[in-house]
Amino acid sequence: MFNDRSTSLSLEEERFLDAAEYGNIPVIRKMLEECSSLNVNCVDYMGQNALQLAVANEHLEITELLLKKENLSRVGDALLLAISKGYVRIVEAILNHPAFAEGKRLALSPSQSELQHDDFYAYDEDGTRFSHDVTPIILAAHCHEYEIVHTLLRKGARIDRPHDYFCKCSECNQKQKHDSFSHSRSRINAYKGLASPAYLSLSSEDPVMTALELSNELAVLANIEKEFKNDYKKLSMQCKDFVVGLLDLCRNTEEVEAILNGDVEMNHSNGECGRPSLSRLKLAIKYEVKKFVAHPNCQQQLLSIWYENLSGLRQQTMAVKFLVVLAVAVGLPFLSMAYWIAPCSKLGRIMRGPFMKFVAHAASFTIFLGLLVMNAADRFDGTKLRPNETTGNVKQLFRMKTSCFSWMEMLIISWVIVFSVLSYTGMIWSECKEIWSQGPKEYLFELWNMLDFGMLAIFAASFIARFMAFWHASRAQNFVDANMKDLTSPTLEPNIKYYTLARINWDPSDPQIISEGLYAIAVVLSFSRIAYILPANESFGPLQISLGRTVKDIFKFMVIFIMVFVAFMIGMFNLYSYYLGAKKNEAFTTVEESFKTLFWAIFGLSEVKSVVINYKHKFIENIGYVLYGVYNVTMVIVLLNMLIAMINSSFQEIELGQRKQSSIRSSDEIHLNSLNNPPRQYQKIMKRLIKRYVLKAQIDKESDEVNEGELKEIKQDISSLRYELLEEKTQNSEDLAELIRKLGEKLSIDSKEEESRR
């Protein structure tokens, strides 16, 4: 089971290995100097040589003595062992070995083909301590050894980013075919090193950007490599915690801005009138780094930007803020015109502040909703003829009385197409600007953008259809005015006569009917945009977020729901399809009726007599009762209550876990800075933050409780000290014996001289 080579050890080699393990420096030194036939690469029953034993027990002097020997094997494995133990001085001593002179081997693992035969690493058929794909820099990153990582980085060691999961290069194909499990584990080991705070801190010139990008990459891999999902999610969270840790160490506004904006010096000159771009914050929102966005330092900075150019308003009461909102709503047309003329003036800068923009958007959209309500108010008492329609004009077509646009409808159309330009509040012009600034890809990924686009597209289609109906009616009216004396003429063409008909006789595809249907949908979607404002409220925000979270749960629920619904719909149709006309109602006799009956049964609007037939076929009727009862129990009692429980669970999670949500909807494109030449000021700030982070990590590590490994190290130090004291005692005894011998010889010589004199 263990190494058979230990059975052939000589007494001299056994003594040599014991001395290396227990720190007997005098014996090691003496044997290395005097025993020329000693095999320094001999191994014990576990396959460990003297160098590995010395490193494992933190005997620095013995390690230095052994490293002076030529043809010493397993230096690389000893280096990995020292890194795993965190022995910084031993790591530095091993790195000074000639084998690492050029630094090439630091980037290679024991599994590399050129290292499999030089005995540099412990690469054999026996069990080894470390994975064959782990390099020194990867292992140091895994162990979070900041000083060792720094030393290896100075030596030129780096962690290569794994290829894409779907990469089809020859190297990946070969590894996948040879050993797919080892290939997957090597990818995880590499990502563990890349996601280590030690490596992120010391290897990247822009650690915030690197950590955010890596966290997203790992989150994507968690959904791709399902078998290692937990590992990748843990690493993704580790990267997010690293960014949050840096933000937590900020001490002034400049440092917070450096993390939120990236390039401080350049970002202040970008954006609208010199406003910071907040590119890192937008990236954190995109990658759902919630702890970063919700951090107090981040929120304080956002609050300062929120009240930009209105810092005094922050300390005012709610009554004052309400009056400001009311004043902005009343004077919105004039303020919008002033902003259009001079966007970078003092008033323009105030108007483009986030708070004022929010108030302007909310006020403008509230006015728009008011127009929709006022337009609907004309129909509360039913359709009435307008005053000019009671004149009794015999030539006037009926459609000219209904297809004309009212003044309210004209105002709504103008608000969507024209007034939105003046008030820069969104609508068609704002959506066009947003598509241009974000790009089509980023724009489509935002669900709120899809809602806006759909609403405006439906409004536009409704207006176009209504205009086409009015245009056709106008052409018909012009023809009548030019060629006909009245509408009772028998020579009236069918395409003209159609526009004299009442609504009951219109075609189903009539443009005005289509316009009215689309308009109704657009009105519903318009009121749903109120959800933009709700996240700003502490009470309504969690409710809306909970509803959004449950959408995924609802989709999962719908799979089971549709499966059960279709099963019962087809079954009941097959049961009653032969009884068309022989039932008290038409339920289940057609597929359409089966769908209607089962759908409304969910809400308790279907009757039990739906399964009753007029014939005495009690077997069919009883089967119908059973299936209908099982359906109601399954759908209403089980599935619907399960859905309610899921929604309640999601709401509780949001309300208890995230009391305050920050919703930021940006229309600016995220411009990322080049990492090759970062600005000097930004680099200085990041160096300060990284230094604090590393010092904090080292202090936290040193403040941990003494564990079993540290007690073992103390024991080994005491053992080594004992051998040193014994050596010193032996040396002193030898010196004393030599002095006594010399003194005896001198006394003997003196006595002889005394006798000769006598």
Side-chain angles (χ1 to χ4, degrees), residues 283-307:
L283 202 63
I285 296 173
K286 178 181 177 181
Y287 295 155
E288 298 183 355
V289 189
K290 300 175 184 177
K291 290 183 180 180
F292 181 85
V293 178
H295 195 278
N297 294 348
C298 178
Q299 291 294 313
Q300 193 278 334
Q301 185 67 19
L302 289 179
L303 199 60
S304 300
I305 299 175
W306 179 255
Y307 289 104

Side-chain angles (χ1 to χ4, degrees), residues 349-453:
R349 287 195 299 270
I350 293 176
M351 284 301 298
R352 74 189 314 147
F355 175 77
M356 295 300 293
K357 287 181 69 175
F358 176 78
V359 173
H361 278 255
S364 176
F365 192 72
T366 302
I367 295 173
F368 177 71
L369 295 180
L371 294 177
L372 296 179
V373 173
M374 293 173 64
N375 183 44
D378 293 339
R379 307 178 186 180
F380 285 166
D381 298 330
T383 304
K384 298 179 180 179
L385 291 176
R386 298 181 178 90
N388 62 347
E389 295 172 358
T390 61
T391 57
N393 185 359
V394 294
K395 282 189 176 184
Q396 188 176 23
L397 298 176
F398 176 80
R399 287 295 289 271
M400 291 303 295
K401 303 174 183 178
T402 59
S403 62
C404 295
F405 291 95
S406 66
W407 67 271
M408 187 64 66
E409 292 171 339
M410 293 297 296
L411 189 58
I412 292 174
I413 295 174
S414 301
W415 195 276
V416 172
I417 299 175
V418 181
F419 289 167
S420 60
V421 177
L422 299 180
S423 59
Y424 67 100
T425 57
M427 314 303 275
I428 293 179
W429 175 251
S430 179
E431 292 302 311
C432 292
K433 290 200 306 180
E434 195 161 347
I435 294 174
W436 177 264
S437 61
Q438 287 188 350
K441 184 177 180 181
E442 292 293 333
Y443 181 85
L444 293 175
F445 281 148
E446 184 70 36
L447 294 179
W448 290 113
N449 290 338
M450 298 303 297
L451 174 63
D452 289 345
F453 184 84

Side-chain angles (χ1 to χ4, degrees), residues 166-359:
F166 301 103
C167 178
K168 299 299 181 182
C169 67
S170 57
E171 180 182 355
C172 292
N173 287 334
Q174 183 179 0
K175 291 180 179 179
Q176 189 71 23
K177 292 179 181 179
H178 180 263
D179 192 341
S180 60
F181 177 77
S182 297
H183 179 54
S184 298
R185 293 304 308 179
S186 65
R187 288 173 54 83
I188 292 180
N189 286 331
Y191 277 117
K192 281 184 179 179
L194 292 170
S196 170
Y199 190 79
L200 287 172
S201 301
L202 302 174
S203 65
S204 177
E205 294 179 343
D206 193 347
V208 175
M209 178 66 186
T210 304
L212 290 174
E213 292 285 1
L214 185 59
S215 69
N216 180 67
E217 182 179 350
L218 291 168
V220 172
L221 285 172
N223 294 324
I224 296 176
E225 298 189 61
K226 301 289 187 180
E227 59 275 18
F228 302 110
K229 182 176 182 178
N230 292 335
D231 294 333
Y232 283 120
K233 290 181 69 175
K234 182 179 179 181
L235 293 177
S236 178
M237 185 59 64
Q238 183 173 287
C239 294
K240 296 176 181 179
D241 291 340
F242 169 76
V243 179
V244 174
L246 287 179
L247 184 61
D248 192 47
L249 295 173
C250 293
R251 297 176 180 173
N252 52 50
T253 302
E254 184 184 30
E255 294 176 352
V256 176
E257 289 179 347
I259 292 182
L260 299 184
N261 302 324
D263 182 350
V264 178
E265 296 178 351
M266 296 182 63
N267 276 319
H268 275 297
S269 61
N270 293 337
E272 301 177 350
C273 292
R275 183 183 301 155
S277 68
L278 301 175
S279 60
R280 299 295 185 268
L281 177 61
K282 296 173 186 176
L283 202 63
I285 296 173
K286 178 181 177 181
Y287 295 155
E288 298 183 355
V289 189
K290 300 175 184 177
K291 290 183 180 180
F292 181 85
V293 178
H295 195 278
N297 294 348
C298 178
Q299 291 294 313
Q300 193 278 334
Q301 185 67 19
L302 289 179
L303 199 60
S304 300
I305 299 175
W306 179 255
Y307 289 104
E308 182 182 359
N309 300 319
L310 292 171
S311 57
L313 186 62
R314 179 178 177 182
Q315 288 77 26
Q316 299 297 327
T317 61
M318 289 300 300
V320 175
K321 293 180 180 179
F322 177 78
L323 292 177
V324 172
V325 171
L326 185 61
V328 172
V330 173
L332 182 61
F334 307 101
L335 295 174
S336 302
M337 185 64 67
Y339 169 77
W340 247 98
I341 297 173
C344 287
S345 63
K346 184 176 180 180
L347 180 60
R349 287 195 299 270
I350 293 176
M351 284 301 298
R352 74 189 314 147
F355 175 77
M356 295 300 293
K357 287 181 69 175
F358 176 78
V359 173

Side-chain angles (χ1 to χ4, degrees), residues 70 77 308 383 414 523 608 629:
E70 297 179 357
D77 197 57
E308 182 182 359
T383 304
S414 301
V523 169
V608 181

